[in-house]
Amino acid sequence: MQNSEMTMSEVLRDPVIRQMLRADRVSLSEFAKLLEKTARARHAAFAEEHGMPLIPRIVIERPSAGK
């Protein structure tokens, strides 16, 4: 079975996701901010639930203009 998980960077570059964002009139930067906010919230909830110290490990790769 193939792994279907995507990094945030891959999500932001995916042509189907970009097409849906255009159709919904959502900018790429707005969507990137939403992904980042959601990832941070999930990380904080996981750390709290498991009694772990909150260590920021989220790295958002923004697509460069040359790609």
Side-chain angles (χ1 to χ4, degrees):
M1 183 174 204
Q2 193 174 24
N3 185 352
S4 62
E5 292 182 24
M6 297 172 74
T7 65
M8 286 188 216
S9 181
E10 290 169 334
V11 168
L12 294 173
R13 289 192 313 260
D14 185 272
V16 174
I17 291 174
R18 283 183 172 230
Q19 188 173 22
M20 289 187 335
L21 291 172
R22 277 192 299 274
D24 290 338
R25 296 186 177 136
V26 176
S27 73
L28 192 57
S29 63
E30 286 178 277
F31 187 59
K33 288 175 189 174
L34 175 64
L35 288 176
E36 184 174 359
K37 181 180 176 181
T38 303
R40 289 185 189 281
R42 290 189 69 203
H43 179 73
F46 179 87
E48 184 177 321
E49 182 178 320
H50 292 86
M52 301 168 68
L54 186 59
I55 302 170
R57 294 185 183 187
I58 300 169
V59 177
I60 305 296
E61 297 177 26
R62 303 240 194 285
S64 65
K67 288 188 179 180

